[in-house]
Amino acid sequence: MKYISTRGQAPALNFEDVVLTGLAPDGGLYVPTHLPEFSVEKLQALRSASYQELAVEVMMPFVGDSIDRETFTEMVHDTYAAFNHDAIAPLKQLEADVWLLELFHGPTLAFKDFALQLLGRLFDYFLAKRQQKVVIMGATSGDTGSAAIDGCKRSAWVDMFILHPHGRVSEVQRRQMTSILEPNVFNIAVEGNFDDCQRMVKASFADQSFLKGRQLVAVNSINWARIMAQIVYYFYAALRLGAPSRSVAFSVPTGNFGDIFAGYLAKQMGLPITQLVVATNRNDILHRFLASNRYEQAPLEHTLSPSMDIVVSSNFERLLFDLHHRDGQALADLMKRMSTETVSIEDVAWQKARALFDSAAVSDEETTRVIGERWKRSNELLDPHTAIGYKAAIDCRRDPAVPMVVLGTAHPAKFAEAVRKSGAASDPVLPPFLADLMDREERFEVLPNDLKAVQSSMVSALKL
Ligand SMILES: *Cc1c(COP(=O)(O)O)cnc(C)c1O
């Protein structure tokens, strides 16, 4: 399998190289040249596969000859052994034909573990083979940082610097990052906001000379391997609910458009998905685009679902590439315009997007109301992101005969404040393996909002 850039000007890469890069040199994102197809017969044959078996079948065509099948199978089994539920991604029935896909049984209690636990193992495998040390640098408003740290902390080939806005992530989220004391993990609390952190990461990727030859690799969802790993659970849920004989719908809490893009790919690969719902909070650029064909940046809003607080959705570029017949030049022009002005796309392309996705934006007030109601009705505690997915599912549902699956993206104990605000009767409790989180030793460095300060701290930590 080869990977090409959405902006058409970068050389094609194999899976190994694509895992070890960030953006393409032309500023685009990597996508596979084609998708593997899963026929009805093939889907039928996978109906009783375990999560791990299915993961190997779904991902192996993307891995290609970068890893042999036996090694990759071992890697997948090792990855999901880190999860705390035997089903890995259990489906729970909420009401008649509305289901919750619980994606929060990984070590850091959010769906990002599905991809980042695998990504850490992929890094380790390729880097050990190459005898190459790399540096991970990432910015986080919470979930990405802890999932990346947990996924990559074992690797002798990786040093990891995760920037978070000082005092602006929840205590649970901070402690999940800062209580990992492995010597290759460096948490930096920046005296600024998330955008400041992100800007410093982008600037460092653009000019890596301060690292004296060490290469930076990306752990955010521009990394193709993250999208790939997320395709698997769409297959898993749909097969459990009767695919390929039966169609399925999904509602996906969305920020950077990574998770739902994986659902779109699953559909293109042959999974009978009849509806994909984009569920956003008040940072609703995607919802507004789907409703009005205006892609217009709005100022960042801080919400009760912080992992979806974004101004632009980076993975949306991957969809736009398909909507424009994979014309890299057209996309390069479009993305350039989108970064500076409000843009509409050609009507046929926009209509295609509307046929693929429904959407809803959910306010904080609605979010807490839904959490409270869901608790009263069946003692089910939803985290605020999942609650947005649930609300959008109910509002956008087209066919009540098709099972609707809401992606449960985080454990409610990660976002206790929103749950408390909802008036739900109980405080969410951390699972036993994190019960002592609030007493664990923490390690992090507080730095000013200044690129030079951050980079020189990295250089001295790395003893370069
Ligand atoms: C990251 C995250 C999301 C958004 O996922 P995207 O892939 O960025 O769309 C939703 N919910 C939770 C809990 C998250 O951590």
Side-chain angles (χ1 to χ4, degrees):
M1 180 71 80
K2 286 281 183 195
Y3 293 85
I4 53 171
S5 164
T6 49
R7 302 199 191 173
Q9 296 293 316
L13 300 181
N14 68 10
F15 180 72
E16 174 172 343
D17 289 319
V18 103
V19 166
L20 295 174
T21 33
L23 284 179
D26 60 5
L29 278 71
Y30 283 106
V31 288
T33 51
H34 63 282
L35 293 174
E37 273 175 45
F38 284 72
S39 64
V40 169
E41 296 72 39
K42 201 162 165 184
L43 289 172
Q44 207 81 49
L46 288 169
R47 287 209 51 193
S48 54
S50 68
Y51 191 90
Q52 292 87 335
E53 288 164 345
L54 190 63
V56 173
E57 289 303 322
V58 169
M59 292 192 280
M60 200 63 219
F62 293 110
V63 173
D65 52 16
S66 286
I67 310 176
D68 67 83
R69 191 181 171 93
E70 196 182 327
T71 306
F72 187 63
T73 303
E74 264 173 44
M75 200 185 287
V76 164
H77 280 267
D78 185 53
T79 296
Y80 295 106
F83 280 54
N84 298 293
H85 195 295
D86 287 344
I88 313 299
L91 263 176
K92 196 180 230 178
Q93 187 159 21
L94 291 179
E95 0 179 312
D97 273 328
V98 178
W99 300 77
L100 177 66
L101 183 63
E102 294 187 348
L103 300 174
F104 45 75
H105 295 286
T108 73
L109 310 182
F111 81 93
K112 291 182 171 77
D113 288 326
F114 277 82
L116 283 161
Q117 286 292 321
L118 179 66
L119 190 62
R121 286 156 174 91
L122 287 167
F123 283 153
D124 216 30
Y125 174 80
F126 290 135
L127 295 169
K129 197 180 68 165
R130 297 175 169 210
Q131 300 280 298
Q132 181 190 353
K133 287 195 91 173
V134 298
V135 177
I136 287 173
M137 187 179 185
T140 188
S141 53
D143 292 344
T144 304
S146 55
I149 289 170
D150 204 280
C152 303
K153 67 187 180 189
R154 293 161 212 83
S155 179
W157 303 96
V158 167
D159 288 295
M160 191 164 22
F161 296 85
I162 300 295
L163 280 54
H164 71 263
H166 187 41
R168 297 194 194 200
V169 299
S170 78
E171 185 170 6
V172 169
Q173 287 183 317
R174 188 192 71 237
R175 286 177 169 275
Q176 282 187 304
M177 299 191 278
T178 57
S179 65
I180 306 285
L181 303 176
E182 264 81 355
N184 62 336
V185 174
F186 303 93
N187 279 289
I188 298 175
V190 173
E191 290 171 323
N193 60 28
F194 172 66
D195 282 341
D196 297 324
C197 297
Q198 187 123 48
R199 212 169 307 127
M200 288 196 243
V201 171
K202 279 197 181 145
S204 302
F205 268 84
D207 180 3
Q208 305 186 11
S209 56
F210 72 104
L211 286 174
K212 309 200 168 91
R214 290 263 183 105
Q215 186 188 322
L216 281 181
V217 298
V219 287
N220 57 8
S221 58
I222 62 171
N223 191 310
W224 163 257
R226 284 197 49 189
I227 307 286
M228 174 186 79
Q230 290 167 197
I231 299 172
V232 177
Y233 48 70
Y234 287 91
F235 275 80
Y236 186 71
L239 291 169
R240 286 287 152 309
L241 291 172
S245 325
R246 210 170 167 211
S247 299
V248 184
F250 288 93
S251 177
V252 186
T254 307
N256 259 326
F257 204 73
D259 205 4
I260 191 154
F261 185 70
Y264 158 80
L265 293 176
K267 179 179 164 129
Q268 307 304 309
M269 288 161 70
L271 200 66
I273 298 176
T274 49
Q275 196 185 5
L276 283 166
V277 179
V278 171
T280 77
N281 61 26
R282 262 179 308 143
N283 296 286
D284 59 352
I285 186 167
L286 292 172
H287 172 60
R288 284 181 286 115
F289 171 76
L290 288 166
S292 67
N293 193 7
R294 280 168 62 82
Y295 194 83
E296 181 177 25
Q297 296 190 20
L300 186 76
E301 302 255 9
H302 290 282
T303 73
L304 291 173
S305 43
S307 300
M308 290 157 40
D309 289 350
I310 46 91
V311 173
V312 294
S313 296
S314 47
N315 280 291
F316 196 54
E317 177 166 348
R318 289 183 158 121
L319 178 75
L320 288 169
F321 184 57
D322 282 2
L323 293 176
H324 290 83
H325 309 287
R326 307 198 123 209
D327 177 346
Q329 190 53 54
L331 211 71
D333 296 342
L334 181 67
M335 296 315 297
K336 201 167 152 209
R337 284 204 292 130
M338 278 185 165
S339 66
T340 55
E341 56 185 281
T342 301
V343 171
S344 299
I345 63 172
E346 277 187 31
D347 194 59
V348 266
W350 179 63
Q351 295 294 353
K352 240 190 281 175
R354 279 168 61 90
L356 285 163
F357 300 97
D358 293 297
S359 66
V362 180
S363 68
D364 275 356
E365 296 69 39
E366 289 172 305
T367 305
T368 45
R369 186 165 52 72
V370 165
I371 296 172
E373 280 174 10
R374 219 30 274 180
W375 170 255
K376 272 198 208 102
R377 276 165 66 187
S378 60
N379 284 18
E380 189 67 45
L381 219 40
L382 303 180
D383 104 284
H385 306 79
T386 307
I388 287 172
Y390 174 78
K391 174 84 168 77
I394 301 306
D395 289 354
C396 297
R397 197 162 186 206
R398 282 203 211 143
D399 184 352
V402 173
M404 171 61 83
V405 181
V406 178
L407 266 50
T409 53
H411 190 288
K414 254 192 135 157
F415 299 96
E417 188 206 333
V419 174
R420 272 193 291 271
K421 272 199 176 140
S422 75
S426 84
D427 244 0
V429 179
L430 285 166
F433 69 94
L434 282 174
D436 65 338
L437 183 67
M438 296 304 177
D439 306 318
R440 288 185 194 168
E441 182 187 345
E442 290 187 84
R443 201 175 61 209
F444 63 98
E445 190 178 4
V446 181
L447 289 177
N449 182 8
D450 173 59
L451 182 62
K452 285 269 160 339
V454 168
Q455 291 185 340
S456 65
S457 158
M458 291 172 66
V459 167
S460 72
L462 292 167
K463 304 188 178 69
L464 291 177

